[in-house]
Amino acid sequence: MKFCKTILAGAGIAIGLAAPAFAQNEDLTICFAYQTLETEFWVAGHAAMTQSLREQGIEVIEVNANEDANRQLEQIRDCITQEVDGIIIIPQDGESVIAMIEEANVAEIPVAVFNRPPNPDNPHDAIVVVADNVAIAEAAVEHLAEQVRALDLGRPAIPLIMVGALADTNAIGRREGFFNVVNANPDLFGEAIEVPTEWDASVALANLESALQANPEVDMIFTSSDFLFPQIRAALAQRGRWAPSGDPGHMILGGLDGDVTACELIKEGYVDSTGVQDLFFEADATVTALLEAIAEGDTSPNEIIRDEGFALTQANIGEREMDMWGCVLLAEQ
């Protein structure tokens, strides 16, 4: 690797992306390869980056792998054959993207990976824009722990985590953040229940229903992604536990992403907190870093750009609502 540096998200990121000025952008072609647009986060990130690129006159070749890593590798190879100037990847997972980065390096085409980083053993060069999933999850779960402590149950509370696909570095980091807080409070929490989701809504709902059937005493649920709140709502409603805070039936509930649904549910009192990824910062950083590399003739940039994020809670939503991308999109609807 040539170099590696870390950039932290700054405060006050504007809505939408700034348009970095690079000469002859109208002659550039960028390949944008994404694994799916199933969640609000991916849809919003895709829209922000493609809009920014096209507003600068840059041609964008879009390819959707539909959650098939092998198909995504073939799509990257096809983009290389077309001699694109740069590649942006939202990969299926942290392992499969390593081969894609390697092929781009060999072809001397700069590549940027958005939000889902390659696994730590990646030996190749890429711009990687990633949220600090451990810290963001810790911030969200610490607020949940405060709510549990306020209940004064007189017994250890039973926490449950809906775990993402563990081939994904994001899922690993979020699980680590959850357990950092749970394990730091042994007087507050009993043994945690882990519910696998594989980032699939149907799998998540089936496994959550089974877990709640076997463990009806669960006191707190943390989902590793906000996109699973509809499944949580369905499972809790069947058991009379879908209730806002202040209601005796309220399930202490948190997530991570910061999407539109999470914003609505925090406002309505059903969700206590969510960890927020600064989507607009991440999208802006991805586009800017890739175009800078192209302008400088750097065919294998190697850089980590880190999004620190924060937790939006029922306690701070009055002050920080418009710092969360999901609330911004909700206000525009």
Side-chain angles (χ1 to χ4, degrees), residues 223-299:
T223 172
S224 297
S225 175
D226 289 346
F227 91 97
L228 295 173
F229 278 133
Q231 286 67 41
I232 295 172
R233 174 169 48 197
L236 293 181
Q238 291 179 8
R239 292 161 177 80
R241 296 295 308 275
W242 185 251
S245 61
D247 186 293
H250 176 62
M251 175 73 75
I252 295 172
L253 186 57
L256 198 150
D257 275 336
D259 70 9
V260 172
T261 301
C263 184
E264 289 179 312
L265 294 177
I266 291 176
K267 286 173 174 285
E268 295 169 358
Y270 292 97
V271 169
D272 297 90
S273 70
T274 190
V276 180
Q277 302 185 82
D278 192 336
L279 179 145
F280 299 116
F281 166 80
E282 293 185 23
D284 189 28
T286 301
V287 170
T288 299
L290 183 63
L291 294 184
E292 285 179 347
I294 294 171
E296 294 168 359
D298 186 352
T299 59

Side-chain angles (χ1 to χ4, degrees), residues 40-123:
E40 291 174 356
F41 185 86
W42 298 132
V43 171
H46 164 269
M49 288 186 283
T50 53
Q51 180 180 345
S52 175
L53 291 167
R54 288 178 171 138
E55 284 179 350
Q56 298 175 69
I58 297 171
E59 181 181 355
V60 182
I61 298 174
E62 295 187 51
V63 287
N64 185 344
N66 290 312
E67 302 186 13
D68 184 330
N70 292 326
R71 176 185 297 175
Q72 190 166 46
L73 177 58
E74 291 303 318
Q75 291 171 335
I76 295 295
R77 287 170 174 162
D78 184 59
C79 283
I80 291 172
T81 301
Q82 296 183 60
E83 299 182 343
V84 298
D85 299 288
I87 299 173
I88 297 173
I89 305 175
I90 302 176
Q92 177 65 24
D93 55 63
E95 183 62 33
S96 63
V97 73
I98 293 175
M100 302 172 201
I101 296 171
E102 180 181 16
E103 299 233 6
N105 285 175
V106 171
E108 298 186 339
I109 297 174
V111 58
V113 181
F114 177 77
N115 190 263
R116 183 167 283 168
N119 289 345
D121 60 349
N122 168 49

